[in-house]
Amino acid sequence: LAKAAGVPVWFEPVSRTKALAGMALLGSLTFASPNEEEALEMACAADARRGPALRRLADVATARSSPVPLDILARAAEILVLRGLKCAVITLGPRGVLWAHRAGSAREVEVRRLVALPVPATEVASVSGAGDALVAGTLLRLQAGDGVAEALAFGQAAARQVVESPRNVPEAFDTARLTAGARAALASQALIRPVPLPPAPLSASPSSDKAPP
């Protein structure tokens, strides 16, 4: 209904199961904001040919108790955009946020990252609600006409104030800090190149012919 009415839709998965359930609507979504694991599950489901290789690379990294490398997550985000999502936003917790969207040609996908705004450990009251604040702050600025990078930077600033509050939603936001934080977050943006994946096996599903190289 939203797609038919021209209304943008933001999908916020809250679990791996619900992230996979949302795959049926991928081409109708404007934004989706999975966390790292949800993004990998969605990308592997979207690309039957490259998915196993992507999962193996991620598993190797996490087996060493390391976070999933950004270039692997960048490939996951790229796959989701190539499969019909307008903009893939992967939340990275203390590492910030990564997003992918088409730039220029119909084939080219650009992936960028904003680092998280620093919060001293002694000032972290609760991380509950941080993801919701990121989405809410981003949507607020998108509605005001900001680009995706600027909107996500504002969302990052809102998320920082949430983790500093014992409440899921602070009674009030410091607007001056929001503005300064958004400016600092935006200055951190950088391009991320997706990890190369090995050629897919010849026996792979033919439904994935449009998979990225």
Side-chain angles (χ1 to χ4, degrees):
L1 292 176
K3 183 178 181 180
V7 177
V9 176
W10 186 301
F11 174 52
E12 170 77 348
V14 294
S15 69
R16 293 168 61 181
T17 300
K18 292 182 179 179
L20 290 174
M23 292 299 297
L25 301 173
L26 195 64
S28 299
L29 300 175
T30 312
F31 293 88
S33 52
N35 63 23
E36 297 178 27
E37 185 55 38
E38 291 162 354
L40 287 168
E41 289 288 329
M42 292 173 71
C44 290
D47 192 334
R49 294 180 62 204
R50 301 298 199 276
L54 185 68
R55 171 54 70 183
R56 283 193 296 272
L57 289 174
D59 287 348
V60 168
T62 55
R64 298 193 296 264
S65 299
S66 300
V68 180
L70 294 177
D71 58 351
I72 293 176
L73 295 171
R75 180 63 75 182
E78 180 192 62
I79 287 172
L80 293 177
V81 171
L82 289 173
R83 290 298 183 273
L85 181 62
K86 300 297 185 298
C87 184
V89 177
I90 301 180
T91 58
L92 308 173
R95 294 196 290 166
V97 63
L98 178 152
W99 79 99
H101 64 111
R102 291 189 184 274
S105 70
R107 179 69 179 176
E108 181 183 359
V109 176
E110 183 178 86
V111 186
R112 290 181 176 269
R113 175 210 179 194
L114 295 176
V115 302
L117 293 169
V119 180
T122 55
E123 296 182 18
V124 175
S126 171
V127 297
S128 180
D132 293 333
L134 169 68
V135 174
T138 302
L139 287 172
L140 177 68
R141 293 313 307 169
L142 286 172
Q143 289 184 318
D146 283 359
V148 175
E150 292 79 9
L152 282 170
F154 188 87
Q156 287 274 78
R160 177 174 66 175
Q161 291 195 36
V162 166
V163 302
E164 294 171 343
S165 170
R167 300 169 59 95
N168 286 356
V169 180
E171 293 185 5
F173 283 88
D174 184 329
T175 54
R177 287 189 69 216
L178 283 175
T179 300
R183 189 179 300 116
L186 185 62
S188 75
Q189 72 170 309
L191 282 168
I192 305 294
R193 295 188 180 279
V195 65
L197 293 178
L202 295 177
S203 59
S205 169
S207 63
S208 305
D209 291 341
K210 296 182 181 179

